[in-house]
C-alpha cells in the first residue's frame, strides 16, 4: 500500500499554517527588544529576557514531538497541536505590546516578558508537529517539494511580519509615536494582525488537510524497517539518550561546534540589532526607547530583517546546485563567511540604507545554517537513530543561545559600555569562526564533481 500522491495545492494548503507561524515569529524577533525597552528594560538586560526563547525550545519541542507521535483522536494526530499552539501564540501576540493594561496587577515589563514566554512556547507547540506532518502525509518522492513549499512559506511569512510595522506607518499613516510613553499604535496593530493571520492560516491547514491514521501509516512502512524499529523501541529507554550522546558520530561532534558559533551569533543579532542601529546609525542616546526617532529606527530594523529572510528564501533554492558543484562543506563555509562579513560591515556603514547590503550577507548565511548542517549530518547517522540524534543536535542550537543570553548583557554593559553595535560585530566574528570550523568536518556523503 502506498500513500496518495498530493497535488501542488494540497501540499501548499498542508504547509500554509507556517506562513502565520513565521509571521508571528518575525514580529517577535524584530520588535520584542524595543517593546521590552519601552516597558523599562535596559539594553544590557535584553538578552536575559530573550533566554526564554531557547529554554522553551529545549523543553517544549521534545515533549510535543513525543506526545504528537502518540496522539490520535477525532481531530487527528498533529492538528490539535497546531490549533492549541496557534491560539496560545495569538494571545501572546495580542497582549505583549498591550502589557500595560495589566499594570494594576503586575509591572508591564513582567507581563511583557511573560507574554514573550507564552509566544515562544506556543510557536514551538505549533511548529514541531508541522514538520512531522510532511513526513506523515507525503511520499518519499514528494518530500523535497513539500519542504521547498514549506521553506517558501516560511520566507514569505517572515518578510510580511518583519515589514508590517514599517508598511502600516509609511503606507497607511498609522502612528509610530509613543503616546504617553507607551507602545506605538503601529506595533499594537501589527501584532493584532499577526495574531489574526496566524489563526487563519492554521485553520486553512486544519480544514483542507487529511491525516493518515496510525493504522494506515503502519501499512505504509517497510515491513522489515517496521520490525527493526519495534525492536529498538522495546529495548530502549529514556536514559539511552545519554549513551547516544556519548556515542555520537564524529561528524556530529564536529558539526556541534559549527552550530555553536553559528547560533551564538544569530542570537546576538536578534537581541541587539535594534538598540545597535538606533545608537550607532541614527545617533540616538543609549536606552532612548521612547522617542519617535527610535521607533523609526526599529521599523527600519524590521525592514532589514525582512530583507535577510527574503534573500534566504531565494538562496535556499540555489544551495543544492551550489553544493553539487563545490561540496556542502565549502558551500556552508563560504555562506557563513559572507554572513559574518555582513554583520561586521554594519559597524562601517555610513547610513541606514547601506545596511541592506549587510543583510543580504546575513540572508545568505541564514539559508545555509537552516539546511547545510542537516544535509551533512543526515549522511552520518543510522536511519533508526535519526530522531534521537536530530533531537540531540537541537541542543547545539539551544545551548549557545542560552550562553549568549547569560553573558551577552554583561558584555554589552561592561566591555562595550552599552554600545550594542559591538555585539553585532561579535556575532559576525562568531560566524567567521564557524566558517573555519566547517572545513574540519568529515562529510561522508559529500562527493565533489571535479
Amino acid at each position: 500500500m502506498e500513500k496518495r500522491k498530493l497535488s501542488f495545492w494540497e501540499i501548499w494548503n498542508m504547509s500554509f499554517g507556517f506562513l502565520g507561524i513565521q509571521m508571528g515569529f518575525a514580529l517577535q524577533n524584530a520588535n520584542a527588544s524595543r517593546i521590552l525597552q519601552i516597558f523599562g528594560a535596559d539594553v544590557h538586560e535584553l538578552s536575559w529576557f530573550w533566554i526564554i526563547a531557547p529554554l522553551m525550545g529545549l523543553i517544549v519541542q521534545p515533549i510535543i514531538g513525543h506526545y504528537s507521535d502518540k496522539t490520535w483522536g477525532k481531530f487527528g494526530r498533529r492538528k490539535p497541536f497546531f490549533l492549541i499552539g496557534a491560539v496560545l501564540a495569538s494571545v501572546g501576540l495580542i497582549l505583549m505590546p498591550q502589557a500595560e493594561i495589566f499594570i494594576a496587577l503586575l509591572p508591564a515589563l513582567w507581563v511583557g516578558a511573560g507574554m514573550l514566554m507564552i509566544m515562544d512556547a506556543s510557536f514551538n507547540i505549533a511548529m514541531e508537529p508541522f514538520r512531522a506532518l510532511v513526513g506523515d502525509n507525503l511520499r518519499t518522492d514528494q518530500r523535497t517539494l513539500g519542504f521547498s513549499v514549506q521553506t517558501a512559506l516560511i520566507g514569505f511569512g517572515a518578510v510580511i511580519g518583519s515589514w508590517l510595522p514599517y508598511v502600516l506607518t509609511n503606507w497607511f499613516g498609522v502612528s509610530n509615536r509613543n503616546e504617553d510613553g507607551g507602545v506605538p499604535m503601529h506595533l499594537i496593530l501589527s501584532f493584532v494582525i499577526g495574531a489574526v493571520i496566524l489563526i487563519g492560516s492554521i485553520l486553512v491547514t486544519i480544514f483542507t488537510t487529511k491525516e493518515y491514521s496510525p493504522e494506515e501509516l503502519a501499512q505504509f512502512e517497510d515491513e522489515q524497517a517496521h520490525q527493526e524499529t519495534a525492536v529498538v523501541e522495546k529495548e530502549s529507554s529514556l536514559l539511552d539518550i545519554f549513551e547516544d550522546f556519548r556515542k555520537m558520530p564524529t561528524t556530529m561532534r564536529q558539526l556541534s561546534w559549527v552550530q555553536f558559533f553559528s547560533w551564538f551569533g544569530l542570537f546576538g543579532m536578534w537581541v541587539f540589532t535594534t538598540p545597535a542601529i538606533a545608537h550607532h546609525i541614527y545617533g540616538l542616546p543609549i536606552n532612548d526607547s521612547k522617542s519617535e526617532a527610535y521607533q523609526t529606527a526599529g521599523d527600519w530594523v524590521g525592514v532589514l530583517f525582512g530583507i535577510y529572510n527574503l534573500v534566504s528564501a531565494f538562496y535556499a533554492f540555489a544551495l543544492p546546485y551550489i553544493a553539487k558543484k563545490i561540496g556542502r562543506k565549502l558551500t556552508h563555509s563560504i555562506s557563513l563567511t559572507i554572513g559574518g562579513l555582513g554583520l561586521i560591515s554594519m559597524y562601517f556603514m555610513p547610513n541606514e540604507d547601506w545596511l541592506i547590503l549587510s543583510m543580504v550577507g546575513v540572508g545568505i548565511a541564514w539559508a545555509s545554517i537552516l539546511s547545510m548542517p542537516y544535509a551533512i549530518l543526515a549522511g552520518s547517522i543510522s536511519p533508526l537513530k535519526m530522531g534521537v540524534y536530530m533531537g540531540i543536535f537541537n541542543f547545539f542550537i539551544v545551548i549557545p543561545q542560552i550562553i549568549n543570553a547569560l553573558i551577552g548583557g554583561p558584555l554589552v554593559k561592561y566591555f562595550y559600555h552599552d554600545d550594542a553595535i559591538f555585539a553585532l560585530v561579535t556575532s559576525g566574528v562568531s560566524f567567521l569562526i564557524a566558517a573555519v570550523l566547517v572545513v574540519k568536518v568529515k562529510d561522508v556523503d559529500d562527493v565533489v564533481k571535479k
Side-chain angles (χ1 to χ4, degrees):
M1 185 175 179
E2 191 177 23
K3 294 177 184 176
R4 184 174 66 87
K5 185 173 183 177
L6 301 186
S7 70
F8 173 83
W9 291 113
E10 285 176 312
I11 295 173
W12 175 273
N13 289 335
M14 182 181 69
S15 298
F16 195 73
F18 250 118
L19 179 87
I21 292 172
Q22 198 63 32
M23 182 177 173
F25 197 63
L27 280 166
Q28 172 191 293
N29 276 351
N31 301 294
S33 285
R34 64 163 153 166
I35 290 173
L36 292 174
Q37 282 186 283
I38 291 171
F39 291 151
D42 290 329
V43 169
H44 66 270
E45 296 172 337
L46 290 175
S47 63
W48 297 340
F49 290 105
W50 276 83
I51 198 174
I52 296 168
L55 279 176
M56 286 298 101
L58 185 66
I59 295 168
V60 172
Q61 282 200 12
I63 295 173
I64 295 301
H66 172 79
Y67 281 108
S68 69
D69 280 342
K70 307 294 183 182
T71 298
W72 180 260
K74 63 179 181 179
F75 297 110
R77 185 186 192 190
R78 314 291 183 186
K79 291 194 283 191
F81 293 93
F82 301 162
L83 187 58
I84 293 170
V87 170
L88 293 176
S90 297
V91 171
L93 282 167
I94 292 170
L95 294 183
M96 185 190 180
Q98 302 185 78
E100 288 179 316
I101 65 178
F102 300 99
I103 200 168
L105 302 174
L106 288 171
L109 183 58
W110 292 15
V111 177
M115 292 301 115
L116 179 61
M117 181 182 70
I118 289 173
M119 279 192 290
D120 282 316
S122 303
F123 289 141
N124 279 291
I125 289 171
M127 268 193 280
E128 189 66 24
F130 246 113
R131 294 190 181 104
L133 186 63
V134 173
D136 290 345
N137 277 19
L138 293 183
R139 297 165 17 162
T140 302
D141 61 342
Q142 287 197 297
R143 285 179 184 169
T144 299
L145 174 61
F147 283 115
S148 296
V149 169
Q150 206 172 79
T151 300
L153 287 166
I154 287 171
F156 295 145
V159 171
I160 295 169
S162 298
W163 287 357
L164 188 55
Y166 180 89
V167 168
L168 287 178
T169 296
N170 291 275
W171 293 9
F172 299 99
V174 180
S175 174
N176 68 347
R177 294 187 177 91
N178 294 72
E179 305 296 341
D180 301 321
V183 176
M185 178 54 66
H186 76 314
L187 283 184
I188 294 174
L189 186 57
S190 294
F191 275 62
V192 171
I193 292 172
V196 172
I197 294 177
L198 173 57
I199 292 288
S201 64
I202 290 287
L203 289 176
V204 168
T205 293
I206 288 175
F207 287 121
T208 61
T209 302
K210 177 185 178 297
E211 293 188 80
Y212 290 112
S213 69
E215 292 76 19
E216 289 173 315
L217 288 173
Q219 293 179 41
F220 298 139
E221 290 182 3
D222 177 78
E223 187 64 27
Q224 182 179 354
H226 181 65
Q227 290 172 356
E228 291 176 356
T229 303
V231 170
V232 171
E233 288 178 348
K234 286 179 181 178
E235 296 176 351
S236 65
S237 72
L238 188 60
L239 294 177
D240 287 344
I241 192 171
F242 296 105
E243 184 66 13
D244 291 326
F245 188 92
R246 188 180 69 82
K247 293 182 177 180
M248 75 172 72
T250 300
T251 298
M252 184 173 175
R253 198 177 302 275
Q254 294 167 334
L255 277 172
S256 68
W257 290 105
V258 178
Q259 291 292 84
F260 180 93
F261 286 101
S262 299
W263 287 89
F264 186 94
L266 285 169
F267 188 85
M269 180 190 73
W270 290 331
V271 173
F272 292 112
T273 296
T274 297
I277 289 177
H279 177 63
H280 187 72
I281 300 295
Y282 284 78
L284 301 176
I286 295 170
N287 281 322
D288 173 23
S289 60
K290 297 189 177 181
S291 68
E292 184 177 346
Y294 190 92
Q295 300 312 313
T296 299
D299 292 346
W300 187 244
V301 170
V303 173
L304 294 174
F305 277 23
I307 288 169
Y308 92 70
N309 278 290
L310 188 63
V311 169
S312 73
F314 287 105
Y315 186 62
F317 290 107
L319 276 171
Y321 302 99
I322 298 172
K324 188 176 181 180
K325 293 291 185 182
I326 65 174
R328 292 186 293 219
K329 290 196 303 182
L330 187 55
T331 299
H332 194 38
S333 182
I334 291 173
S335 300
L336 285 169
T337 300
I338 294 171
L341 293 175
L343 284 169
I344 294 171
S345 72
M346 296 174 77
Y347 179 84
F348 301 98
M349 292 305 183
N351 58 54
E352 64 272 19
D353 294 327
W354 279 92
L355 294 173
I356 293 173
L357 185 60
S358 301
M359 285 295 122
V360 170
V362 172
I364 288 171
W366 176 234
S368 190
I369 289 169
L370 289 178
S371 55
M372 286 297 106
Y374 298 96
I376 295 170
L377 176 66
S380 70
I381 55 181
S382 165
L384 294 179
K385 290 286 186 180
M386 189 70 71
V388 66
Y389 277 128
M390 284 296 180
I392 292 174
F393 201 53
N394 190 56
F395 294 167
F396 306 123
I397 294 174
V398 172
I399 291 171
Q401 294 184 71
I402 293 173
I403 292 174
N404 195 328
L406 293 173
I407 69 173
L411 279 174
V412 169
K413 182 175 183 179
Y414 297 108
F415 287 90
Y416 307 147
H417 305 291
D418 280 335
D419 194 349
I421 191 66
F422 292 108
L424 301 188
V425 173
T426 301
S427 291
V429 172
S430 189
F431 272 26
L432 296 180
I433 294 172
V436 172
L437 291 172
V438 175
V439 178
K440 298 184 177 294
V441 173
K442 179 184 178 183
D443 186 353
V444 298
D445 283 344
D446 202 0
V447 178
V448 183
K449 288 186 177 181
K450 302 296 185 182

